[in-house]
């Protein structure tokens, strides 16, 4: 697992032992960042299920101005901090150890991009999407980037958001929800 592009290009990120974290494979990550490349410069990013921090770090490497990483496991938060230090991006980041819904319920800032790549077998994706839309933490024209396994369906429509097509990469689907401007 490496940073694909930008100022930290080529830096290999640390990965966890065990099966609790499922990092996004490079091919999917490269496709994802090709889709949203014009949304990244000067953006503020929320990596809600931080894991290794690779999605937020990739965004920072490509010009995002700030990233907030949230994970409920101390080991994941430690790994994110190590990867931020390794890439020299710790000054542009905040790592928060919290349950995703607890974080969203007390979140008082807005973001341009929210990455949602939770554990596949849970309902975290559906719950976090619904809550993000309810509390309105996206800036105008902000986007929510979702990653999920093939076969896991998402609603076609959320009020105030447009949905992209599903981008399929093997057994992985990427879908972008963009906040509609009035």
């Amino acid at each position: 697992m490496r940073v694909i592009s930008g100022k930290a290009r080529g830096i290999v990120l640390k990965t966890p032992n065990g099966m609790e974290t499922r990092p996004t494979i490079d091919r999917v990550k490269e496709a994802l960042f090709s889709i949203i490349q014009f949304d990244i410069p000067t953006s503020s990013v929320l990596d809600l299920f931080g894991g290794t921090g690779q999605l937020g770090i990739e965004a920072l490497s490509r010009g995002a101005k700030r990233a907030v990483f949230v994970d409920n496991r101390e080991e994941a938060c430690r790994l994110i901090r190590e990867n931020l230090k390794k890439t020299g991006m710790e000054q542009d980041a905040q790592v928060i150890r919290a349950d995703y819904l607890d974080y969203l319920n007390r979140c008082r800032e807005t973001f341009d991009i929210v990455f949602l790549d939770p554990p596949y077998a849970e309902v975290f994706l559906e719950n976090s999407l619904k809550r993000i839309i309810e509390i309105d933490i996206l800036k105008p024209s902000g986007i929510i980037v979702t990653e999920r396994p093939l076969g896991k369906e998402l609603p076609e429509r959320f009020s105030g958001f447009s949905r992209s097509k599903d981008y399929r990469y093997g057994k992985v689907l990427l879908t972008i929800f963009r906040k509609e401007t009035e």
Side-chain angles (χ1 to χ4, degrees), residues 70-88:
V70 178
D71 204 292
N72 67 341
R73 294 174 297 119
E74 182 55 42
E75 310 82 53
C77 291
R78 187 171 30 255
L79 185 61
I80 294 166
R81 286 185 195 98
E82 288 176 25
N83 283 330
L84 285 165
K85 186 173 183 179
K86 191 171 185 180
T87 57

Side-chain angles (χ1 to χ4, degrees), residues 19-20 22 49 100 117-127 147-152:
M19 299 297 291
E20 285 195 53
R22 174 201 34 79
F49 299 91
Y100 74 101
D117 182 14
Y120 282 174
E122 304 295 335
V123 294
F124 299 160
L125 180 58
E126 298 89 333
N127 291 345
E147 180 180 330
R148 67 188 195 283
L150 192 61
K152 185 170 201 160

